[in-house]
Amino acid sequence: MPFRNALGRTAACLALVLALGLGGCAELPKNVDRPVSTALPAPATTPLGELVQQRRAAAGTRYESGFVLLDGAPAAYGSRLALVEGARKTLDLQYYAIHADASTARLLKAVREAAERGVRVRILLDDLHSTGRDAVVMRMALVPNVEMRMFNPLAGARASTLGRLFGSIDDAARIQQRMHNKLFIADNVLAVAGGRNLGDAYFGKDRKGNFIDLDVLVAGPLVQDLSRSFDAYWNNERAYPVQSLVTAKELDQIREQARADAKAERERQAGNPPPADGAADTGASAAEVRAQVWDERPLDLRTADFVWAPAVVLADKPGKIPPDGANASADVGKAPGLTVTQTGRRPQGGAAKNDASLAAAADAAADGETVVDGLLQLIGQARSDLLVISPYFVPGADMKQAFAAARARGVRIRVLTNSLASNDAPVAHVGYARHRDELLAMGVELYELRSEQAGLGNAFGSGSGGGSAPGGSRSMLHSKVLVIDGRLLVVGSMNLDLRSQHQNTEIAVLVRSDTLSRTAAQKIDQVMREGAWHVVRSDGRMVWKAPEGSGLEDATAEPDTSAGLRAMVKLFGPLAPDALL
């Protein structure tokens, strides 16, 4: 199922309702041993470090950090595989969700092989989705040379999500506050950051629906800033070693149940062969592995088209989520918790202007208390053009104020978000739809992704650079991107919503590059023209203008949706506060 991102929002609402009348009984372990560890101190001495130095020297650049936009699933998958196969000292993975399916099985198999050759592996995973079949990935903690910790875990058995919600119902705030960061770091010198979790739906290979996403491959000293953020979370008291939460016997039972479920599914689909070795931990068949995983070839880092530029990292501190025993019901968004770091900048020669521009942007962002607050400060610096991609777009009062102030300065604002049909969390669409008229009235241009993309992936997203998603699958926007004045590019894990602003922890990379900004803007423009409904007010009513060249008619109701879904959203929408969506 690719729609598990909706679980966080649904669980939060459900937990608060249940908390009114129920008390929980399960507890987390006490006095947990968390050995402190940190990133590799001398990354330049590794083969990957030497490769980065060679690439930088060949480019003749003043800047020490380089960037590649990974706008398609093959590049996104291949880059991570390249980092795993190239790592010689350390691998650090930090994710909100890792799903037990075919593409992840192949990737984690490579991670196990890296551990076998002596690479120290640390995997930090938010705990919300680690139930049922997806709990199988926790068996990585049993692999020699691999450590795995779960961030902000929920108490209770892992057989079902509902059972765990009941087990933690007396701590509803814990369910809402999630580690949403996504990082994949090799030898502290190369990293992938962005919006993707790990799973078939994020690599364009799920049969029911796939996420259109965007990552950035980072090379050089800026990776050390990403690693410092990882270390802060890894050594935080809310990171629990897997062995403190579940036994090896329980993990084996979960695996056997997953295998039994997969066998039953294969029997219903007669003709499938038995599981392949690479798929053994997920229950995927050999045929599924061949169909779902790309070509199993890593990205060639020797020929990757790096753009060398000044950049900064914006990262929420783990303290944004209060530690155990603290007042978890407090407004965590009020607590200072933003780190803005900019390792590896060289303000010299012709690069000084770019560097000064980035420094001004970094100073502006630093005035915020969270990553999203920092981005609102950046929006306050926009002078001509603002492009926003936010799959879950629920603007609070300060976001709308930032947009209104930018419009008053003459800034053109275009926002690409999910339509109701493409949104895997319809409840989140409610929080956007109730602000749609107000945004249009202030002059914000709104675009909503069409759920059936018909080959658009070759321009931006799930199908770029090698094939397309399985026929008939649904497309869902998952990229989190800002382009400011055609010169500043932000790629990260955050949405422009109150959940990312106040509850979830997030991380983003801000790059001062005309080249990268122009490339991203061109791709976004194409998606808006050819793959999105343009929402306008016409003759007193809302109209969805059909995508260019689609041959579709304009719509006067949420396009591509059933009357039942529209009625449900209209009925329950007023009951859901923006802060929980």
Side-chain angles (χ1 to χ4, degrees):
M1 285 290 291
F3 313 127
R4 293 168 184 161
N5 269 16
L7 180 59
R9 291 168 172 80
T10 305
C13 296
L14 176 63
L16 288 185
V17 172
L18 294 176
L20 295 176
L22 296 174
C25 56
E27 292 185 356
L28 292 171
K30 308 293 184 182
N31 302 317
V32 174
D33 184 26
R34 300 176 180 85
V36 174
S37 61
T38 56
L40 183 68
T45 61
T46 66
L48 288 179
E50 293 171 355
L51 174 64
V52 170
Q53 290 177 327
Q54 293 167 1
R55 295 301 310 275
R56 177 178 173 270
T61 179
R62 294 181 175 90
Y63 295 111
E64 295 181 344
S65 294
F67 307 89
V68 178
L69 286 182
L70 304 171
D71 65 327
Y77 192 87
S79 63
R80 288 167 171 83
L81 198 54
L83 298 193
V84 173
E85 294 187 358
R88 291 297 177 268
K89 296 293 185 179
T90 62
L91 279 171
D92 292 330
L93 281 62
Q94 182 179 13
Y95 280 94
Y96 171 64
I98 301 178
H99 298 310
D101 51 30
S103 59
T104 301
R106 170 66 180 92
L107 196 58
L108 293 184
K109 180 174 183 290
V111 171
R112 291 195 298 272
E113 291 169 350
E116 289 172 0
R117 65 173 184 265
V119 176
R120 183 199 70 184
V121 178
R122 298 184 296 176
I123 302 174
L124 182 59
L125 178 63
D126 183 87
D127 190 66
L128 183 63
H129 292 280
S130 58
T131 57
R133 174 175 168 174
D134 284 337
V136 172
V137 300
M138 297 172 69
R139 295 189 78 256
M140 289 295 296
L142 307 180
V143 176
N145 224 23
V146 175
E147 295 178 79
M148 187 173 183
R149 297 181 181 180
M150 310 301 291
F151 199 85
N152 197 21
L154 307 181
R158 295 181 179 272
S160 72
T161 299
L162 186 60
R164 299 186 73 212
L165 293 181
F166 274 103
S168 301
I169 209 63
D170 59 343
D171 193 3
R174 179 189 292 275
I175 299 173
Q176 298 178 66
Q177 298 160 358
R178 308 317 313 169
M179 182 191 75
H180 200 236
N181 313 40
K182 289 105 172 173
L183 292 174
F184 201 115
I185 307 171
D187 287 347
N188 200 14
V189 74
L190 279 161
V192 176
R196 275 185 179 87
N197 295 298
L198 300 184
D200 284 348
Y202 298 93
F203 296 118
K205 289 298 180 181
D206 192 273
R207 297 182 184 281
K208 294 182 179 179
N210 290 282
F211 292 107
I212 295 178
D213 225 320
L214 181 71
D215 294 317
V216 62
L217 175 63
V218 184
L222 196 78
V223 176
Q224 297 170 29
D225 296 328
L226 298 174
S227 289
R228 274 187 279 273
S229 176
F230 178 95
D231 287 345
Y233 283 83
W234 178 260
N235 296 309
N236 186 266
E237 60 187 289
R238 278 217 162 171
Y240 286 69
V242 164
Q243 289 86 343
S244 71
L245 300 171
V246 60
T247 67
K249 181 179 180 180
E250 290 170 326
L251 289 175
D252 286 341
Q253 291 172 343
I254 291 171
R255 181 181 64 172
E256 292 308 313
Q257 184 61 52
R259 284 176 167 174
D261 292 343
K263 180 180 179 181
E265 178 63 23
R266 285 195 300 274
E267 289 175 350
R268 285 192 293 268
Q269 301 174 3
N272 284 345
D277 290 343
D281 284 348
T282 68
S285 70
E288 287 172 332
V289 170
R290 289 193 296 270
Q292 299 291 340
V293 180
W294 290 103
D295 52 14
E296 298 189 1
R297 288 185 294 185
L299 184 73
D300 189 348
L301 299 173
R302 299 167 302 176
T303 59
D305 190 15
F306 284 97
V307 174
W308 303 86
V312 300
V313 171
L314 282 62
D316 285 328
K317 294 179 181 178
K320 185 178 179 181
I321 298 178
D324 295 331
N327 182 10
S329 64
D331 185 354
V332 295
K334 299 296 184 182
L338 177 64
T339 299
V340 181
T341 52
Q342 42 194 329
T343 298
R345 295 192 298 112
R346 289 192 169 185
Q348 56 181 315
K353 182 177 180 181
N354 280 358
D355 196 88
S357 175
L358 178 72
D363 290 343
D367 289 336
E369 295 178 328
T370 69
V371 167
V372 173
D373 289 335
L375 297 183
L376 297 183
Q377 296 294 325
L378 283 178
I379 290 172
Q381 304 293 308
R383 291 296 175 264
S384 60
D385 189 78
L386 173 65
L387 275 172
V388 175
I389 302 182
S390 182
Y392 311 116
F393 180 50
V394 185
D398 48 359
M399 294 185 200
K400 290 188 289 187
Q401 182 179 2
F403 286 147
R407 288 294 301 136
R409 297 192 304 271
V411 177
R412 183 186 185 191
I413 303 176
R414 288 169 289 169
V415 176
L416 174 64
T417 190
N418 273 305
S419 63
L420 178 56
S422 68
N423 202 321
D424 69 312
V427 67
H429 188 81
V430 169
Y432 153 68
R434 64 168 57 119
H435 299 286
R436 201 158 36 193
D437 272 322
E438 185 178 358
L439 292 166
L440 290 173
M442 71 175 65
V444 176
E445 301 173 42
L446 299 177
Y447 294 83
E448 300 178 6
L449 187 77
R450 182 185 170 212
S451 61
E452 299 297 333
Q453 287 306 292
L456 183 67
N458 286 329
F460 181 72
S462 62
S464 177
S468 58
S473 66
R474 172 187 177 199
S475 293
M476 302 166 289
L477 188 66
H478 200 257
S479 310
K480 301 96 163 56
V481 181
L482 277 77
V483 183
I484 302 173
D485 292 340
R487 59 188 178 88
L488 291 172
L489 173 67
V490 182
V491 179
S493 66
M494 69 288 149
N495 297 292
L496 284 190
D497 66 1
L498 296 178
R499 178 169 293 278
S500 282
Q501 185 175 13
H502 294 305
Q503 295 173 340
N504 292 347
T505 65
E506 309 287 357
I507 192 166
V509 175
L510 167 62
V511 187
R512 170 60 178 97
S513 168
D514 294 350
T515 299
L516 289 179
S517 297
R518 182 170 57 251
T519 299
Q522 289 172 347
K523 294 177 181 296
I524 297 169
D525 283 341
Q526 183 177 352
V527 174
M528 287 178 169
R529 287 194 318 271
E530 302 175 12
W533 301 93
H534 183 195
V535 185
V536 300
R537 292 291 295 182
S538 179
D539 297 328
R541 64 180 182 176
M542 195 86 69
V543 176
W544 284 259
K545 306 288 287 185
E548 181 181 302
S550 67
L552 299 172
E553 298 290 334
D554 295 347
T556 55
E558 304 272 8
D560 301 324
T561 59
S562 67
L565 177 59
R566 295 194 297 270
M568 184 186 70
V569 168
K570 187 174 182 179
L571 177 64
F572 292 104
L575 304 178
D578 284 351
L580 293 182
L581 302 179

